[in-house]
Amino acid sequence: MTPDTTTGDKTAGAVAGGATRGGVLKGGGIKGRGSGRPGGADRDSAGLSLTLRGLYRTFGTTRALDGLSLDIQPGEFVALLGPSGCGKTTALRIVAGFETADSGSVLVDGSDISAMPAAKRDMGMVFQSYSLFPNMPAIDNVAFGLRLRKLRGPDRHRRALELLDMVGLTDQARQYPHQLSGGQQQRVALARALAIEPQVLLLDEPLSALDAKVRLQLREQIKGLQQRLGITTLFVTHDQEEALSMADRVGVMRSGKFEQVDVPDQLYANPRTAFVAEFVGTMNRLPGTLTSARDVAVLDSVLTVRAGAADGLAGDVDVLVRPEGLRIKAQPGGNGIVTDRAFLGSVSRIGVRLCGAVAVKVDHPSAHAGDFTPGASVQVSLPAEDAVLVAARP
Amino acid sequence: MAALTEIAQSSAPVPRHRGRRHRRFPVWRWLILSLAGLYFLTPLYAALKFAGVKAFGQVAHQSGFSSALGLSVRLAVITTVLTLVLMVPTTVYVHLRLPRLRRVLEVVTILPIVIPPIVLIIGVLQVAPASLKATPDLLALEYVILAMPFAYRSIDTGLRALDLRTLFEASSSLGANWLTTLWRVVVPNLRTALLSAIVLTVALVLGEYTMASLDLYQTFPVWIVLFSQDSGPVSTAASLLALFVTWVLLMAIVTVASQSSRRRGGAEVTLFTVGRQETGDSR
C-alpha cells in the first residue's frame, strides 16, 4: 500500500487552488445535460432542492422508514444522523434509486423522481466501502461517468485531471486503486461522483473506514468542496462529530423517522427529545422532582427552570445537562466524590459519583482542574438555564 | 481436472523470509512427494519408452490427425464462448439479485459431475432435433453442460472476491446500465476467474472421449484411440504431445494472467486458484 503522502496542507492547497479558478465544474459543458432531467433546465453550481415526502419502507417485519419527510434547500448540506438500524442508509438508498419506497416520493427541484432508475438520476454517490473500479487507474475511474455521457476523449481526460487536481491527487492519476491508500481512494471516489455534475451529492458514511487523521482531512475537504460548488448534499453518518461539524442541518433519526431536524448548535443546545439530548454529545441524567410548574428539586436544591421546560411533566423527572453545564468546586463534605479525570485539552472531564450513586461527568478548565483528583470531595451544582427536563425513566 | 477453484480469502502478505524452521522440508514430505511423482510420471515414462522418439515426428503426417485436432479446437472455442456467455451473466445475476439461489445453483452445476456422461449423452440424443444431431456442434452443446461445474465455480469464486453490489451501484450512480456495468466493470475484474474457466473448459473439451465417441464424431481423443489400432507408438506419441502442448498452453495462460493480475493488484494466478482483489488500507 502506498502511504497517504498528501498532507492536510496539500489538500487544503488543492481546494484553495480550485477556488481561485472559480470552480472547474462550471461551464464544463457535458453534452446532453439539461434535457430529460427533473426540473428540465440547465443549472449552474447553485444546486437543486431535494424533498423526501412521507417515505415508508418495510423489510420483513422491520419498518426501516416510518413516514420520513425532509426538505433540503438548493446547495444545503444535510446530515442524517442516528444509530445503526435507524433507517438513515435506507433513506439515502431510496434517494439514490437503489431501493424503492413502499410509499412516499422523492422530489428533485420539484419533480418526482421516485420511478426513475438509479442510472438516470444524476446522483453522485460516495460509498462507505471503497467503490473504485479495481481494473481502472484513478483517472479512468473519474472519467467513467463522463465517458458514459459521450464526452470526447481529450475533453474527458482534461476534466478528469481537473477533478483529480481538485482533490489533490494529480500525481496519482495513473495509479490503480490497490496502489492508493484508503483516504486517496475515497478522494478519487469523490472526484468521480462530482465529475458528472450531479444534481445531488450523496455520501454514505464515506469516512467511516478511514483512520482518525485522514478522516479529519477528508472531512474538511468534502465540506470545502461542497461549499465552493454549492452542491446539494445528503450525508449519512453515525458519527455525531462529523454530522455536527460538516452539515448545515442535521436530522437525528430513530426508528425510521426524525426526532429532530435542526442546525447543529440548536440540536446540541436545545434538544427536543431525550433521545436527541443523549445521542448528540455527552449528557448527564439526574433524577429530580417537580415541586411546582417550573420548580424542580435536584442536587439538593430547587431550581426554577425556564418557561415551557416542564410542560407536560409532573412528579418524578430526569434533568438532562451537558458536562459543561454543571459547575464543580472542591468542597470538603460536598455532594460528590471525584472518581476519575480525563484530560481533553483545554478542558478536563471529571467523573463524579453523587449521593444516591448517580454518576455525572463535569467539564472544567484544565488549568484549574488540579484539585479534582480521584477521591476528592466536591460540590456539583446546576444552573437553572441549562436544565432540560424529560419524563423519568421507569 | 479434479482440482477445482479455491479462494485465497486472506490478503495478508506472506512473509518472504521464512525462518529456518519453516525452510526445512521434512523427510516424510519428500517421501510423499516422491511417491506421488512416481505414481504420475511412471505411466508417462512407460508411454514415452513405448512410443520411441521417431514416432513423434510421424504424428502430424497421419491421416485424420489434422481434421480431428481441428474439430477439437473448434469445439473448444464454441464451448468456451457458449459457456462464458451463459454462465457469466447468470452467475452475476444470482450473486446480485438472487443470492438465496446460490446454493441451488451450486447443486445444479454439480450434476454433470454426478451423472455419468453416458447417461447425459443418451438423454441428449433422445431429445435433440435431427438437424442438430447431424452436426458436430451438438457436441459443443453437450460440452457446455460438462464444463458448467468448472466454469461456475471459477466465476463464482471470482465474484465472491468482488464487492459486486457496491461496484454495480457505483457504476449505476454514474449512469451505467446493467450490461454496461457487466462489460466494463465486472468482466475486466473477473479476468483471472474467466481465464481459469477457459483453461478448465478447453482442457475438458480437448480430453473428452465418451460423448464424442457415442456421438460418432472423430475428435482428437477419439482419433488417438482409433489410430492406436493402426500404430500404437504413433498414437501414444500423439497422446503425449497433446498432454505436453496442453500443459504448455495452460502454463502460458497462467503466467500471462499472473503478470496482468499483479499489475492491477490482483493475486497471482495459479491453476484454478483466484485470489481476492487487494484494496487500499484505511490511510
Side-chain angles (χ1 to χ4, degrees):
Chain A
M1 291 303 121
T2 310
D4 193 343
T5 53
T6 309
T7 62
D9 288 339
K10 185 175 178 184
T11 303
V15 172
T20 57
R21 291 192 307 274
V24 294
L25 296 182
K26 287 184 77 172
I30 294 178
K31 288 179 183 174
R33 296 298 302 262
S35 58
R37 299 174 54 192
D42 279 327
R43 65 180 173 85
D44 58 20
S45 60
L48 301 175
S49 66
L50 173 67
T51 304
L52 315 186
R53 190 177 287 164
L55 295 178
Y56 286 87
R57 181 70 166 103
T58 303
F59 296 104
T61 56
T62 306
R63 174 155 284 184
L65 293 182
D66 192 7
L68 194 78
S69 293
L70 177 66
D71 283 309
I72 303 178
Q73 299 305 309
E76 194 179 17
F77 192 135
V78 172
L80 302 184
L81 175 67
S84 295
C86 71
K88 56 188 188 298
T89 297
T90 303
L92 190 85
R93 290 176 60 79
I94 287 173
V95 174
F98 302 142
E99 295 278 353
T100 309
D102 296 334
S103 63
S105 52
V106 177
L107 292 84
V108 172
D109 207 23
S111 299
D112 192 343
I113 60 163
S114 306
M116 190 180 279
K120 294 189 184 298
R121 290 195 183 193
D122 272 350
M123 301 268 182
M125 185 152 174
V126 182
F127 296 81
Q128 178 179 359
S129 55
Y130 304 138
S131 61
L132 296 185
F133 307 134
N135 57 308
M136 299 178 197
I139 191 165
D140 287 353
N141 264 280
V142 176
F144 186 81
L146 302 175
R147 184 175 184 167
L148 294 173
R149 283 161 178 76
K150 313 283 187 209
L151 201 66
R152 285 175 52 247
D155 293 341
R156 192 168 69 223
H157 186 261
R158 177 181 53 77
R159 285 177 48 73
L161 272 179
E162 284 174 348
L163 282 150
L164 282 173
D165 178 46
M166 196 165 64
V167 295
L169 289 175
T170 311
D171 294 342
Q172 284 77 22
R174 289 286 163 203
Q175 292 190 347
Y176 284 89
H178 76 277
Q179 295 170 310
L180 301 171
S181 68
Q184 288 172 330
Q185 287 193 50
Q186 289 300 67
R187 280 149 64 190
V188 174
L190 180 64
R192 184 178 67 177
L194 291 172
I196 61 168
E197 294 189 80
Q199 303 190 43
V200 177
L201 180 62
L202 305 174
L203 307 171
D204 184 10
E205 307 206 34
L207 310 177
S208 61
L210 307 176
D211 68 28
K213 190 179 173 187
V214 178
R215 199 158 56 222
L216 197 61
Q217 288 174 5
L218 198 50
R219 187 198 294 177
E220 290 168 359
Q221 190 168 23
I222 290 173
K223 181 61 182 168
L225 285 171
Q226 190 275 334
Q227 283 181 334
R228 180 156 66 81
L229 301 173
I231 188 167
T232 309
T233 302
L234 186 59
F235 175 47
V236 158
T237 182
H238 62 270
D239 185 324
Q240 53 172 294
E241 193 183 322
E242 274 175 19
L244 296 176
S245 64
M246 294 173 75
D248 299 323
R249 282 192 300 153
V250 177
V252 180
M253 288 183 68
R254 182 193 192 191
S255 303
K257 51 188 167 188
F258 286 120
E259 290 272 315
Q260 185 174 350
V261 183
D262 222 326
V263 294
D265 55 345
Q266 281 299 309
L267 209 61
Y268 189 81
N270 296 309
R272 280 191 212 137
T273 67
F275 177 81
V276 174
E278 292 187 297
F279 190 78
V280 178
T282 302
M283 188 64 89
N284 293 304
R285 186 183 271 260
L286 303 169
T289 305
L290 270 175
T291 56
S292 70
R294 288 180 60 189
D295 294 333
V296 57
V298 61
L299 289 181
D300 306 327
S301 62
V302 175
L303 302 176
T304 301
V305 297
R306 63 178 182 271
D311 285 356
L313 299 170
D316 290 340
V317 293
D318 280 343
V319 181
L320 304 179
V321 59
R322 303 275 181 205
E324 65 270 24
L326 289 170
R327 305 285 178 267
I328 185 171
K329 64 179 181 180
Q331 181 176 308
N335 62 357
I337 300 293
V338 174
T339 55
D340 59 273
R341 186 178 66 185
F343 177 73
L344 302 179
S346 61
V347 298
S348 289
R349 182 155 291 175
I350 300 152
V352 179
R353 182 164 296 281
L354 299 172
C355 304
V358 175
V360 294
K361 299 286 183 188
V362 186
D363 284 355
H364 196 75
S366 293
H368 306 291
D371 293 341
F372 304 122
T373 54
S377 178
V378 293
Q379 181 69 28
V380 175
S381 58
L382 169 64
E385 65 269 20
D386 288 325
V388 174
L389 302 189
V390 296
R393 274 183 181 151
Chain B
M1 190 62 74
L4 290 181
T5 312
E6 292 177 0
I7 184 166
Q9 285 289 353
S10 170
S11 60
V14 179
R16 282 175 186 273
H17 304 290
R18 293 171 183 275
R20 187 173 294 173
R21 188 168 60 87
H22 296 289
R23 271 204 298 268
R24 280 208 307 257
F25 205 64
V27 175
W28 61 269
R29 288 189 187 175
W30 279 115
L31 188 66
I32 291 173
L33 189 66
S34 302
L35 284 173
L38 274 176
Y39 185 84
F40 288 110
L41 293 178
T42 303
L44 292 178
Y45 173 73
L48 190 64
K49 195 169 181 187
F50 172 71
V53 179
K54 284 182 183 171
F56 285 91
Q58 298 167 10
V59 171
H61 305 295
Q62 303 305 315
S63 67
F65 169 82
S66 301
S67 60
L69 187 61
L71 177 60
S72 280
V73 170
R74 175 181 150 194
L75 289 173
V77 171
I78 296 173
T79 305
T80 303
V81 171
L82 279 178
T83 300
L84 295 183
V85 167
L86 281 173
M87 294 307 295
V88 172
T90 306
T91 314
V92 168
Y93 190 82
V94 167
H95 266 258
L96 206 58
R97 303 278 167 83
L98 305 165
R100 287 180 184 173
L101 278 187
R102 261 167 54 184
R103 293 273 175 213
V104 177
L105 203 59
E106 278 179 20
V107 172
V108 169
T109 56
I110 207 80
L111 287 178
I113 291 179
V114 179
I115 300 171
I118 191 150
V119 176
L120 284 175
I121 188 64
I122 287 172
V124 169
L125 290 174
Q126 290 289 325
V127 298
S131 57
L132 207 53
K133 283 186 208 170
T135 162
D137 294 340
L138 174 67
L139 272 175
L141 300 181
E142 293 163 0
Y143 289 162
V144 168
I145 298 171
L146 280 189
M148 193 166 60
F150 311 109
Y152 171 74
R153 268 151 194 81
S154 292
I155 297 165
D156 180 63
T157 302
L159 289 176
R160 282 172 198 250
L162 293 175
D163 187 352
L164 197 62
R165 177 179 288 272
T166 303
L167 290 180
F168 259 93
E169 289 180 351
S171 175
S172 178
S173 72
L174 295 167
N177 60 30
W178 203 87
L179 274 178
T180 305
T181 305
L182 186 69
W183 183 246
R184 290 197 174 157
V185 178
V186 178
V187 166
N189 285 301
L190 283 180
R191 192 187 307 246
T192 306
L194 295 182
L195 272 169
S196 289
I198 291 169
V199 162
L200 289 164
T201 305
V202 169
L204 181 141
V205 174
L206 293 182
E208 204 285 328
Y209 173 79
T210 311
M211 285 187 162
S213 173
L214 288 171
D215 270 355
L216 304 177
Y217 287 111
Q218 200 173 101
T219 57
F220 191 57
V222 174
W223 177 83
I224 288 173
V225 172
L226 291 176
F227 193 74
S228 66
Q229 293 161 10
D230 292 340
S231 171
V234 175
S235 166
T236 306
S239 298
L240 288 172
L241 270 180
L243 183 71
F244 181 71
V245 170
T246 307
W247 183 79
V248 167
L249 278 176
L250 297 187
M251 287 302 114
I253 290 174
V254 165
T255 304
V256 171
S258 282
Q259 286 172 350
S260 169
S261 177
R262 272 199 298 271
R263 273 202 303 274
R264 287 168 170 77
E268 184 174 342
V269 181
T270 56
L271 265 187
F272 323 137
T273 303
V274 182
R276 181 182 284 278
Q277 195 88 26
E278 286 181 27
T279 55
D281 59 20
S282 62
R283 289 167 294 149

